[in-house]
Amino acid sequence: MDIGIGLPNTVPGTEPPRLLDWARQAEEAGFSTLGTIGRLVYPGYEELIALTAAAAVTSRIRLTTSVLLAPLHANAALLAKQAASLDRVSAGRFVLGVGLGGRDDDFTASGLSTRGRGRRFEEQLREMKRVWSGEERGFAGAIGPRTVRDGGPELILGGGSEASFRRVAELGDGWIMGGGTPEMFAQAAAAVDAAWRDAGRPGTPRKLSLAYFALGPDARAQADAYLLDYYGFLGDVASQVAASAAVSPDMVTSYAAAFEASGCDELIFVPTGSGLDQIELLAGAVA
């Protein structure tokens, strides 16, 4: 199983130079990917821009939106162009992870309704794939640039419903779980595989998951401070999310082993702080 690390693009107070230093050191530490999470109504950096900055200072590590809330990007052709641009800039290292999103304030701030978002999401995915296929749109031809991989960057879809699993099988290259236990992952992953087979797709989809972490002497306080704020809109559930964060090397090792046993192909540990020591501490825990 590959082990990735999140970029602290949503951690309040993270300055731009820290994002660049984090990207460089994460690559040097050998992590498989830099992941981003995101929402609109929060003081964080937009994911595609943050990963473009990371692409400029790295050369090997994958760059994954885990996940981008696609319905907030109402212009699907423009989103396809942005994704293709990052794909080219990074020499094919970009992985586009997308999901529906579930916070009403993000949609309200965008002037969008949450109603019908699943249908719009599917239309959006199909439109992006048409753009990446080189379909001509006007006198100048296709919407470019051409992606490094034929058909577009690797497309990973989030979600935990049967409709989400069907979308993975019909339109995606893989699936990602945004949070939960290894047992929850195993159950959902089996459903994803079943949908994949039912759709007649060869092989198997790539399956990823996220897990929050904080390490060091103030690990629990750091995890609580960030996660209780970021997930405060969920009420009491925010405390459950905070409590699930890996706050010791043993917890990190245990999570990695359990997710690997559950069939996870890549586990991305998402930071709750932006201190550069977190990279070295995580690398040591998963070595």
Side-chain angles (χ1 to χ4, degrees):
M1 182 181 70
D2 290 336
I3 299 291
I5 188 172
L7 191 67
N9 65 298
T10 60
V11 176
T14 303
E15 295 297 327
R18 178 56 53 86
L19 286 179
L20 301 182
D21 289 341
W22 185 287
R24 292 187 189 96
Q25 293 191 27
E27 179 168 79
E28 291 171 1
F31 289 104
S32 61
T33 198
L34 279 168
T36 57
I37 60 173
R39 52 192 288 193
L40 184 61
V41 186
Y42 199 75
Y45 298 99
E46 196 277 331
E47 302 98 299
L48 295 176
I49 291 177
L51 288 179
T52 300
V57 297
T58 58
S59 61
R60 177 200 58 81
I61 196 167
R62 283 196 295 265
L63 309 163
T64 303
T65 53
S66 53
V67 296
L68 180 81
L69 306 184
L72 302 183
H73 299 254
N75 187 332
L78 179 57
L79 178 57
K81 186 178 184 74
Q82 291 170 322
S85 298
L86 179 47
D87 180 67
R88 294 293 299 186
V89 166
S90 66
R93 291 183 286 136
F94 179 50
V95 177
L96 179 59
V98 288
L100 284 172
R103 302 175 181 89
D104 289 344
D105 53 1
D106 288 341
F107 283 82
T108 299
S110 301
L112 299 170
S113 172
T114 56
R115 294 185 61 184
R117 59 184 174 166
R119 173 185 53 78
R120 296 197 306 272
F121 183 43
E122 291 187 21
E123 293 172 351
Q124 192 173 30
L125 294 175
R126 290 190 172 92
E127 169 69 352
M128 289 194 294
K129 290 173 80 69
R130 287 192 294 268
V131 169
W132 295 330
S133 72
E135 184 178 282
E136 294 191 2
R137 298 303 178 93
F139 179 80
I143 297 172
R146 183 175 179 178
T147 55
V148 174
R149 190 183 78 156
D150 288 343
E154 184 179 9
L155 186 61
I156 305 295
L157 309 183
S161 66
E162 290 299 323
S164 298
F165 304 153
R166 175 184 54 78
R167 290 187 194 106
V168 172
E170 293 180 357
L171 299 165
D173 299 302
W175 168 75
I176 184 168
M177 184 174 78
T181 66
E183 293 75 19
M184 292 168 61
F185 180 89
Q187 183 176 3
V192 172
D193 285 339
W196 191 269
R197 291 191 299 270
D198 290 345
R201 298 281 299 273
T204 58
R206 195 159 75 93
K207 295 179 283 290
L208 301 79
S209 188
L210 304 181
Y212 286 105
F213 84 97
L215 294 171
D218 300 318
R220 172 48 60 193
Q222 175 181 294
D224 286 349
Y226 172 69
L227 293 171
L228 291 177
D229 181 57
Y230 191 80
Y231 289 102
F233 71 99
L234 292 175
D236 293 341
V237 176
S239 297
Q240 298 175 29
V241 175
S244 72
V247 293
S248 70
D250 286 345
M251 287 184 72
V252 167
T253 302
S254 175
Y255 275 28
F259 273 99
E260 185 172 18
S262 297
C264 186
D265 295 307
E266 184 171 57
L267 180 61
I268 302 174
F269 282 98
V270 181
T272 56
S274 55
L276 295 177
D277 64 319
Q278 296 298 294
I279 302 170
E280 182 178 354
L281 290 169
L282 181 64
V286 299

